[in-house]
Amino acid sequence: MGRFIRSPKDVGTGLLLIALAAWFAWLGSDLPIGRAIRMGPGYFPLVLCGILAALGLIVLLTGLAFGGDAEADDEAQRIAVPWRGILLVTLSVVVFGLAVAPLGLGPAMGLAVFISSAASRRFSLPGGALMAIIMVAFAWAVFIKGLGLPLPMLGPWLGGY
């Protein structure tokens, strides 16, 4: 059975994506779906679950060997856990959740993007700062100007409302 697996990372990731899609689809199963012309609250989450499952299937299939060379080299068999990335991305989500109310959307998102960009091996301070500035500007343009959501860019700790 192991000889049919070319990349255990891809197989594991594909299975995880498919499982997450199934779990989220099950969580949203009590929402009315509606139709494409008149969408219900469960329509868009179900479409996203379908896309996630399809991507998971593609990743899963790329990790399997169909004929040809089924021997995987030792480098592909070894699975290294990227602890730095896992910790920094998790920390960025926690920082955003804790900072969005007191600091506002702009600084909280800037911190979260900067911290999560530090998870990359190619991280640099100017690159992380530029990415944070671009994402804050994008969030302002989409959520506040485009959608008109009443989100404060600056929170009460920074003189906002």
Side-chain angles (χ1 to χ4, degrees):
M1 180 84 170
R3 65 185 178 155
F4 297 111
I5 296 177
R6 180 176 30 205
S7 174
K9 286 182 185 180
D10 288 344
V11 171
T13 302
L15 290 174
L16 177 68
L17 290 175
I18 292 170
L20 282 174
W23 184 53
F24 284 122
W26 177 73
L27 287 176
S29 63
D30 58 339
L31 296 172
I33 296 172
R35 298 183 182 159
I37 205 105
R38 188 157 173 88
M39 298 176 198
Y43 188 88
F44 190 65
L46 187 62
V47 167
L48 288 180
C49 288
I51 292 171
L52 183 63
L55 290 174
L57 183 63
I58 291 169
V59 172
L60 173 70
L61 291 176
T62 59
L64 297 177
F66 296 107
D69 183 21
E71 293 290 325
D73 42 298
D74 293 333
E75 198 63 38
Q77 290 291 337
R78 186 178 52 139
I79 298 177
V81 179
W83 290 111
R84 177 180 171 196
I86 290 171
L87 292 174
L88 286 175
V89 170
T90 303
L91 177 67
S92 72
V93 172
V94 171
V95 164
F96 180 80
L98 294 175
V100 72
L103 297 179
L105 179 66
M109 179 172 279
L111 281 171
V113 169
F114 186 79
I115 292 169
S116 64
S117 68
S120 172
R121 291 182 201 156
R122 294 180 272 168
F123 172 74
S124 68
L125 286 174
L130 180 64
M131 190 182 310
I133 290 168
I134 290 171
M135 286 304 295
V136 168
F138 180 75
W140 172 80
V142 169
F143 295 118
I144 295 175
K145 287 299 179 188
L147 296 174
L149 297 178
L151 298 171
M153 281 304 283
L154 292 177
W157 287 8
L158 300 175
Y161 63 93

